[in-house]
Amino acid sequence: MGKKIKSALRSFTSCSGCQTELLNMKEAFEILTKFNFVFFPLIKGEKELDKYDICFVEGAITNKDQIFELKKIRKKSKLLVAFGTCATYGGIATISDFDDKKEIVEEVYGSGINKHSLKKVFGIGNWINVDYYMRGCPVIKTEVLEFAKGYFKEKLPNEHLYPVCVECRQKGNRCLLAEDHLPCMGAITYGGCKALCTSEEIPCQGCRGPLPTADVSARVKVFEKFGIKKEDIRRTFIKFAGTSKKYRRIIKNLK
Ligand code: SF4
Ligand code: SF4
Ligand code: SF4
């Protein structure tokens, strides 16, 4: 690629864990240099540019000012990437949508602030067109590297359109759902993480979000068959992608 590209990482409501994950990679320096980040909140701020070749967006959209800012970023960016589960589905911040939001906000921030908070928290795709989704809470190193490689070869990697269960079985793990009756979301969640949690005997929490083909109602029935309580099923579904189309309706029925 001849001319040096210009990139930015912009962050909205998040824990900044996805940018931290990138900085923790041993390849971080190479990636930051190749993409020529002019803005990266944890390490580098510069004045706003009129155009970016690529913008990585981290975090959920939780207030009106952020929608305005996000739309501005979209206009400036040739390629826009949702970086992590908060940006893809709203992530952890969506949990507040399923409880008394006012009470939560007051508990955390005290009264009188956050007047512009939206009623529902969504990922960025609810407000703008997104060119590429990089899932995970946080993003996964191998996928960041695959993306970087693909970008400079002008061929972005395909999504992992198979469930976590596939990688879990390939690794020969014990099934935590069938054997321990734990609410594991592996069967309906995007693979690609190499069954990170289930390999440590922790049930998949669904951080990479629902597969388009996931039969969510059938999964709830399986959970119920294994005696998992409705409240525990609900808690699992609202954790990362509760406001996604796939999960919204099912969560209502789990009250
Ligand atoms: S996706 Fe997870 S790690 Fe990344 S910013 Fe959101 S909460 Fe943090
Ligand atoms: S432990 Fe979870 S991810 Fe692994 S096979 Fe069982 S349901 Fe699937
Ligand atoms: S096993 Fe599930 S919760 Fe754990 S990283 Fe993979 S998708 Fe996320």
Side-chain angles (χ1 to χ4, degrees):
M1 206 171 273
K3 206 169 117 247
K4 214 172 185 193
I5 66 162
K6 287 212 174 5
S7 311
L9 187 142
R10 300 296 304 265
S11 198
F12 292 101
T13 301
S14 72
C15 75
S16 302
C18 286
Q19 46 175 318
T20 306
E21 191 69 7
L22 197 160
L23 294 178
N24 278 340
M25 292 165 53
K26 73 171 173 10
E27 299 83 354
F29 180 74
E30 193 190 330
I31 291 177
L32 292 170
T33 312
K34 265 192 166 173
F35 279 102
N36 189 25
F37 279 95
V38 295
F39 190 86
F40 198 107
L42 287 181
I43 50 164
K44 192 175 188 182
E46 247 184 42
K47 76 174 171 52
E48 281 274 313
L49 297 183
D50 292 338
K51 292 260 174 268
Y52 296 110
D53 291 286
I54 175 162
C55 191
F56 296 86
V57 179
E58 173 190 64
I61 300 302
T62 56
N63 66 50
K64 288 178 192 160
D65 297 343
Q66 291 178 340
I67 301 176
F68 179 75
E69 190 55 30
L70 180 68
K71 287 184 175 167
K72 250 175 45 185
I73 295 170
R74 172 68 275 188
K75 276 195 193 142
K76 290 175 177 201
S77 310
K78 267 195 213 157
L79 189 89
L80 191 141
V81 178
F83 197 58
T85 287
C86 290
T88 304
Y89 301 105
I92 295 284
T94 58
I95 295 176
S96 65
D97 291 353
F98 300 95
D99 244 312
D100 187 335
K101 204 176 193 100
K102 198 163 166 269
E103 208 176 279
I104 293 172
V105 169
E106 281 183 8
E107 175 74 27
V108 177
Y109 299 104
S111 54
I113 71 160
N114 243 2
K115 291 195 291 273
H116 301 295
S117 279
L118 297 168
K119 286 210 177 89
K120 285 256 175 240
V121 175
F122 292 107
I124 61 174
N126 196 60
W127 307 105
I128 55 159
N129 282 330
V130 174
D131 300 310
Y132 191 86
Y133 287 96
M134 211 180 293
R135 295 175 169 80
C137 178
V139 289
I140 304 259
K141 176 182 162 171
T142 46
E143 290 188 344
V144 176
L145 292 176
E146 265 173 37
F147 177 86
K149 210 166 139 193
Y151 178 78
F152 290 104
K153 285 189 170 165
E154 295 180 13
K155 190 175 183 325
L156 296 181
N158 293 328
E159 294 192 299
H160 298 282
L161 278 172
Y162 54 81
V164 172
C165 285
V166 170
E167 288 169 336
C168 187
R169 302 317 288 163
Q170 280 167 354
K171 287 176 109 175
N173 295 340
R174 229 163 45 78
C175 181
L176 302 168
L177 174 63
E179 293 185 38
D180 299 344
H181 305 175
L182 293 171
C184 184
M185 297 282 272
I188 51 175
T189 301
Y190 272 98
C193 64
K194 312 245 177 329
L196 199 60
C197 303
T198 56
S199 303
E200 298 296 328
E201 303 236 326
I202 299 165
C204 171
Q205 304 292 298
C207 87
R208 293 170 62 80
L211 277 163
T213 51
D215 186 342
V216 181
S217 314
R219 191 59 8 190
V220 170
K221 282 191 190 127
V222 173
F223 285 167
E224 285 174 339
K225 189 187 114 193
F226 281 118
I228 300 165
K229 287 196 209 117
K230 233 180 198 173
E231 184 47 33
D232 291 337
I233 302 175
R234 183 175 180 271
R235 246 200 298 268
T236 311
F237 274 97
I238 66 175
K239 203 171 274 177
F240 289 104
T243 54
S244 66
K245 277 191 193 132
K246 277 266 177 200
Y247 290 173
R248 250 181 270 169
R249 193 159 354 119
I250 212 83
I251 291 168
K252 265 193 199 153
N253 299 335
L254 287 167
K255 268 267 179 191

